[in-house]
Structure formats: C-alpha cells, structure tokens
Amino acid sequence: MSPAPGPGPDALGPDGQPGSSSLHREGYWWHRARTDLLAAVMAPHLAAPSRTLDVGSADAPSVGWMRGQHQHVGLDLFPDGLRPGEGIVGSATELPFGDRTFDVVSAFDVVEHCADDARAVSELRRVLVPGGRMLLSVPAYQWAWSDHDVQAGHHRRYTRAGITGLVEAAGMEVQRATYAFGGVFPLFAAERLRRRLRPAATGDSRLPEVSPGLDRVLMAVCRAEARLLRRRDLPFGSSVFVVAVRPSSARP
C-alpha cells in the first residue's frame, strides 16, 4: 500500500473499508483458498528464518504458515488485524526497518496498491539479508481490469513476465514464478466480463456472493490446485506468485 496520512483509495478493501478485505469478509472462500495456495508455493522457500516480515496484509490467518519459533513482524497502514507485540503501522514504500534486517519478507496482494511499485519492491529488497527470500503475490492480467480494481485501490495488474521483470530490476533473482487460481479461472474471466458489460453501482464493491454449495466446489478445486502447485507451475490464473532471492554477492 502506498504511504498516506489516513485512509485513502489506495488503502481501501473491496468493501470500501480500510485495510485487508479479509478483515471485513472473514471466511470468504477466496481468502481461504489463497492461504492454501500461498502455503503450497511459498512454504518450501521459508527455510529456517530468524526473522520474517509480512507487509501489507494485516491478516494473520493468510500467513499462519509463515509462523514458527522465529520472530515474525506484520506491517500495514492500518492497525486492524495486526497482532499486539508484532504489528507495526507503516508503509510498504518506506519501511521503518534498517537494511538487511529480515531473512524472509512477504507482500501478498500489496504491490499493486503502490503508485510506485518499483520503490516498494526495492524497499522489500533493502530490508532483506543477502540470501534472503522475497515472497510476492499480485493480481494477473491488465485486460481483467474492472470496477473491482478501482474500488480496491489497485494501480495495475501484472503478467508473470511483468512482475518478474520488476523484481529482477530491483536486484533480485527469481526462483519461481507461477500463475495461481487457474482452476477457477473460467469463472473469474466470466465474472470480469460481466463487470465490463454491467459495472457495479458507484461505490458498490462487494465481493460476489456464493452459496454454501458453490463454496464447497470452489474450495475443492483450489485444494486440488494446491496439490498441483507443489509440483509444477501453472500457465494461467487470476494471480501471480513470485519467490525471489537477494543474491549473497551483489550490489548493496
């Protein structure tokens, strides 16, 4: 999220409230599925860190798999969802930490909220130790831009090549980059087409409602995808996941 003195359009969740949308729609299927998919791709790259930093999510459930015996710090523009004793209010583009502080930094669905995404990624790199890992997720495909992105405070969407290029330009080495939410991609594409043809009423950024039965189907598809992502990358999906490493011997 971009720096701001108070709630602004870059910091609003899809329900129009500040902070992560999962804070206001606890248990929504997409947030539960994202947790499983992130863990499938990212958890093997955690190694044995001493310190981890999660930037921007203010959403402890989605990064529960990052926790362990090490020190874990969460940072967000807003305090809602930050755990007492480990949460810090701050900006992704001006991290309040010294250079080379963390072994792992994560920013899940955050960089697209930053007007200067290159600065955000550079800041994430700055606070990483040499050999440290950067874990990112971003929304995919600019053609999928809709009123939902406007209401969510997005500045852009990405291709896999686009986000990996941004990360590499910051001096990181990409270890893995894959699309995610491929199993439900036809539904995503259809929903975005519907939004193009019939935009939501101004200010109406509610997430699409799903029935209990559809919830079970969507979660089953995503659980199967999580198993697949443990072994291989996907060629398409509505999100892009990236794992990158700060080289041990490189520019400061």
Side-chain angles (χ1 to χ4, degrees):
M1 298 180 183
S2 59
D10 288 4
L12 299 181
D15 59 354
Q17 299 298 317
S20 172
S21 62
S22 58
L23 297 174
H24 312 289
R25 287 297 303 273
E26 184 177 356
Y28 190 70
W29 77 269
W30 187 88
H31 300 118
R32 287 153 43 218
R34 186 185 69 157
T35 298
D36 293 342
L37 297 174
L38 286 172
V41 173
M42 308 294 189
H45 296 273
L46 279 179
S50 297
R51 294 187 184 90
T52 59
L53 170 67
D54 177 48
V55 173
S57 72
D59 177 15
S62 72
V63 294
W65 49 271
M66 287 183 66
R67 299 184 181 278
Q69 299 304 309
H70 57 271
Q71 180 184 9
H72 180 80
V73 179
L75 178 142
D76 197 87
L77 278 174
F78 302 99
D80 291 351
L82 292 173
R83 290 190 177 189
E86 69 175 35
I88 295 175
V89 175
S91 168
T93 55
E94 196 171 346
L95 295 175
F97 307 107
D99 296 354
R100 305 184 179 195
T101 300
F102 297 96
D103 302 293
V104 177
V105 297
S106 63
F108 300 133
D109 293 287
V110 170
V111 175
E112 68 274 12
H113 291 270
C114 301
D116 190 345
D117 56 352
R119 178 174 177 179
V121 174
S122 293
E123 274 290 275
L124 296 173
R125 178 193 181 277
R126 179 183 65 78
V127 301
L128 271 176
V129 301
R133 280 83 64 202
M134 182 187 295
L135 314 178
L136 302 178
S137 69
V138 293
Y141 305 124
Q142 192 63 28
W143 59 256
W145 184 271
S146 75
D147 58 294
H148 172 84
D149 295 280
V150 176
Q151 296 292 341
H154 294 172
H155 286 275
R156 67 197 70 78
R157 302 177 71 91
Y158 297 83
T159 61
R160 177 163 53 185
I163 187 62
T164 56
L166 182 70
V167 170
E168 290 171 344
M172 299 290 294
E173 294 179 353
V174 173
Q175 302 292 299
R176 186 177 183 188
T178 179
Y179 287 99
F181 285 101
V184 297
F185 188 73
L187 293 177
F188 165 80
E191 192 268 341
R192 287 307 164 104
L193 177 60
R194 180 193 65 79
R195 284 179 177 269
R196 287 284 185 89
L197 296 175
R198 290 190 304 160
T202 302
D204 183 4
S205 55
R206 292 172 295 180
L207 296 169
E209 296 294 335
V210 299
S211 67
L214 180 57
D215 182 288
R216 289 191 293 271
V217 171
L218 293 170
M219 289 302 300
V221 171
C222 290
R223 282 193 293 269
E225 180 174 321
R227 292 192 292 271
L228 180 61
L229 280 170
R230 292 187 181 99
R231 304 189 304 272
R232 59 178 296 177
D233 295 341
L234 297 182
F236 59 86
S238 60
S239 293
V240 190
F241 293 175
V242 177
V243 178
V245 174
R246 176 173 176 170
S248 296
S249 56
R251 72 193 196 206

